Each structure stands twice: as C-alpha cells, then as structure tokens.
Amino acid sequence: FLNRINALGIHEPLGIEISGEGMPYIPKLGDSNWSGLTLPWMSIGYNVSMTPLQTLALYNAIANNGRMMKPMLVDEVRQTGRTIQRFQPQVLNRSIASGYTLRIVREMLEEAVESGTASGIKTSLYPIAGKTGTAQVAIDGTYRSAGRAAYRASFVGYFPADDPVYS
C-alpha cells in the first residue's frame, strides 16, 4: 500500500510556482506516530494530509487516462502586450495505474454521482464523476466532546465524465 502511494507521487509537493504550497503528509512505516491503526485509517483518508490542489491533481490524472500533470494556473505572462514568459505542461507521472484499473476507478466515480453519496449533484445535462469525503474535526482538541462530533464534507471530481474538461 505504501509503495503504491509513493509510486503515485502524491507524497511530494507538486512544485507549483506559487509560494506556500503545503507539503503533503503521508505516514511512513517506522514514523514515531505509526501504530497498528495507521494503515487502516490511511486506507479511508485519515492520517494523511494533502492540499485541495494536490488532491485535484490526482483526480485529474484519473480523468487524463493516468497521466498526472503539474497544475498550470497560467500559460503565459505578458507585459504591455508582449509575452515575457511562457509555461509548458509538465508531466509528473506518465501513468499512475493500468488502463484496466483506471477504467474501474472512473466507473466507480461515475456511480458515486449517478446513485451514490454524490447523487445530489447529478444532472441530465452531462455525466459527472467524483467522490465525496467526510472527515471528523476536533472540537476543543478532542474528536468527541460531550457526545458531540463535528464533520467536514468534501467533493472532488470532473465533468463531463465521458470527455473531461472541468474539475
């Protein structure tokens, strides 16, 4: 599991040209906070930390037939109508998974919107693929206080699912 995570490249920052990109945190075997629960929690997204842009880059790779690209926020910089700097797309990972695996993942992401936890955003205009997420949030330093718990919901995806343009 950890070897595949590292092979994806999601344990490294994307290297975008904006200062302050967060460093993803993916626990490693032998870390001081590693326990027998770390791996099962990681499998559902807990104990890891990524920025929304880092997560989106992974989903874009799924939409892009496995090719993970460095996010581009601009393609050129101009000054008084003259191009002074141009940026080219950069491949971070040529193939994050086999074509077979990517097909299955895309089908599951479409099903999450078609009839799963993201069905509230389903539209007849175009197919959407994506995944919801839920994280428990600490209240006053604890995850359950006086029987109360707080959660943060999220969604990441792309559309149209059959020919992705937006994510």
Side-chain angles (χ1 to χ4, degrees), residues 64-80:
N64 197 26
N65 295 317
R67 187 180 317 167
M68 184 179 288
M69 304 297 293
K70 180 178 176 180
M72 287 181 56
L73 303 177
V74 297
D75 57 5
E76 68 180 19
V77 177
R78 292 181 178 202
Q79 184 175 20
T80 60

Side-chain angles (χ1 to χ4, degrees), residues 17 26 46 52-53 89 94 104 109 122 134 140 145:
E17 288 83 7
I26 309 290
Y46 280 85
L53 190 58
R94 288 202 175 296
I104 291 170
L109 295 175
K122 179 181 170 183
T134 306
D140 298 327
S145 176

Side-chain angles (χ1 to χ4, degrees), residues 33-80:
N33 59 350
W34 186 274
S35 78
L37 295 175
T38 302
L39 197 57
W41 280 109
M42 285 177 66
S43 72
I44 58 170
Y46 280 85
N47 287 3
V48 299
S49 178
M50 297 171 63
T51 68
L53 190 58
Q54 292 161 349
T55 301
L56 187 60
L58 178 60
Y59 277 76
N60 284 346
I62 295 165
N64 197 26
N65 295 317
R67 187 180 317 167
M68 184 179 288
M69 304 297 293
K70 180 178 176 180
M72 287 181 56
L73 303 177
V74 297
D75 57 5
E76 68 180 19
V77 177
R78 292 181 178 202
Q79 184 175 20
T80 60

Side-chain angles (χ1 to χ4, degrees), residues 14-19 69-79 82-91:
L14 297 168
I16 57 175
E17 288 83 7
I18 296 176
S19 63
M69 304 297 293
K70 180 178 176 180
M72 287 181 56
L73 303 177
V74 297
D75 57 5
E76 68 180 19
V77 177
R78 292 181 178 202
Q79 184 175 20
R82 205 175 99 244
T83 301
I84 58 173
Q85 188 172 11
R86 188 165 300 208
F87 301 94
Q88 297 298 320
Q90 291 181 4
V91 177

